Amino acid sequence: MNNKYYLTEVDKNPKSIFCYHTTMNDLFIEHHSHDKGQFLYTEGGVVHVKTNTRMYYLPARHYMWIPAGTKHAIYPSSPKVIMRNLYFPMPSQTSDFYKKEGIYHINNLLMELLLFTKNWNGDIIKTQTNKYPIVYAFKTLLEQSVSQALHLELPHPTDSRLISITKYMSDKIDQEHLLPKLASSFSMTDKSLYRLFKKDLNMSFIKYYTQLRIFKSLEYLMNSDYSISQIANMVGYNSMPTFSNTFSKVMGKRPSEYRKANEIYTAS
C-alpha cells in the first residue's frame, strides 16, 4: 500500500482493525485525524507527533496512544525510522486510557504480538479468525499492561514573543541559554520573561529549556555516531556528567542505555 494513500483507507471500514507497517523514508504526514484510535510504535529513531497544543517526542522502543478524533501530524527524525500502526474502532463508552494521548514503554508481550503482525497491512475483520483475535487481544492488553505515561512532550507557545524565543532556543540548541541574556536579547526583563513562560506554557523557563535540550539529544543519540560527550556539547552542556545526570532524571535511563534502543527488532 502506497504511503501516500493509506490514511484514506483507515476509516473506510468502521468495524475493522487497520494495520500498517512502513519505513518512514522522508515521509511527513500532515495534520489529520481518524475515527479510530491509533497505536503508534517506532523503532530506529525519534518520531515527532505534533497536536494542536503539544509536540511529542516518541523515541524508539516506545509507543504512543492517539485517541480517536485527535488532530496530529507525524514526521521522523531519520528516514530509517520504522513506524508500526494499529487503528482500533472505539466504542462510545471506553476507559480513560483510550481517551487521552500518552507515550509508554512497550513490554515484551505486546512487542511479540506486534511483531507477529509485521507483514500485515490493511483491514483486519472478525471473519479473519487467524488474525482478528490477535489484534483484538493486543488492544485489550494495552490497557491492562499500561505503565506510567512518560512526559515526553513540550507545549506549544501561543504568545508571539514566546514563539520567537522558543524557536531561537531550538535553532541555537548548541549554545547555553541563560534567562537574563535571553530576556535582554528580546528586549524583556528577567521577571517578565519568567512570568511569560509560566503564564503561556504553565511551565518554568528552566523546566522547558531542560526538556528541550534532552529531547533534542534523543535525536542525536538515535541517529548519529557522535559520542555522548559530543552530544552533550551539541545541546549546550559543558559537562558530560551534568548532561548524563540530567538525561537520567528526565528519561529514567542513562544516554548510553538509550542509544542501545536504536537497534531495530526484526525477529518475531
Side-chain angles (χ1 to χ4, degrees), residues 2 17 59 70 112 135 144 151 153 168 185 203 214 261:
N2 190 305
I17 296 172
T70 301
E112 288 300 322
V135 287
Q144 291 183 11
H151 294 290
E153 77 269 6
Y168 175 83
S185 298
M203 183 182 280
I214 296 306

Side-chain angles (χ1 to χ4, degrees), residues 49-69:
V49 180
K50 186 175 184 179
T51 68
N52 288 337
T53 59
R54 281 174 166 67
M55 171 71 85
Y56 289 89
Y57 295 77
L58 177 59
R61 303 284 180 86
H62 292 74
Y63 73 88
M64 182 170 179
W65 177 259
I66 304 171

